Amino acid sequence: MIRIYAKQLRLHPSRAERLLWYHLREKQIKGYKFRRQHIIDPYIVDFVCLQKRLVIELDGGQHATNTDYDVKRTHFLQSHGFKVLRF
């Protein structure tokens, strides 16, 4: 189920996600590979570089009402060794 949802997110990115992906794809940032809408169970992150353990999240308006969820999610990712950048 989560894999299907991640695929749907990849097929229908926001404008901000499209713009950022344009710069992250094809190892354009110092040769580092990024993935988009990647599953780090139980979450789907917007972008991740597994080699650098870096997660990039683009927070839209829906995140203003989900602050507790975002805090929990960030703690989970950090506890698994990821750095989280939110925009």
Side-chain angles (χ1 to χ4, degrees), residues 7 53 73 79 83:
K7 184 176 181 177
R53 309 230 15 114
R73 176 184 167 130
S79 73
K83 295 177 187 171

Side-chain angles (χ1 to χ4, degrees), residues 10-54:
R10 282 192 298 276
L11 291 173
H12 305 287
S14 69
R15 182 173 185 269
E17 289 171 340
R18 278 194 308 272
L19 289 171
L20 183 55
W21 183 239
Y22 177 79
H23 296 287
L24 294 178
R25 66 187 180 145
E26 299 175 4
K27 300 181 180 181
Q28 293 183 72
I29 308 293
K30 294 194 174 194
Y32 291 111
K33 180 179 181 176
F34 280 84
R35 297 172 185 223
R36 63 188 176 113
Q37 304 303 337
H38 183 74
I39 299 169
I40 300 175
D41 210 21
Y43 301 105
I44 301 171
V45 298
D46 290 337
F47 302 96
V48 65
C49 175
L50 295 173
Q51 184 179 358
K52 286 302 213 178
R53 309 230 15 114
L54 173 66

Side-chain angles (χ1 to χ4, degrees), residues 53-69:
R53 309 230 15 114
L54 173 66
V55 170
I56 300 174
E57 289 289 306
L58 300 179
D59 293 348
Q62 73 277 14
H63 290 271
T65 59
N66 293 329
T67 55
D68 291 337
Y69 175 81

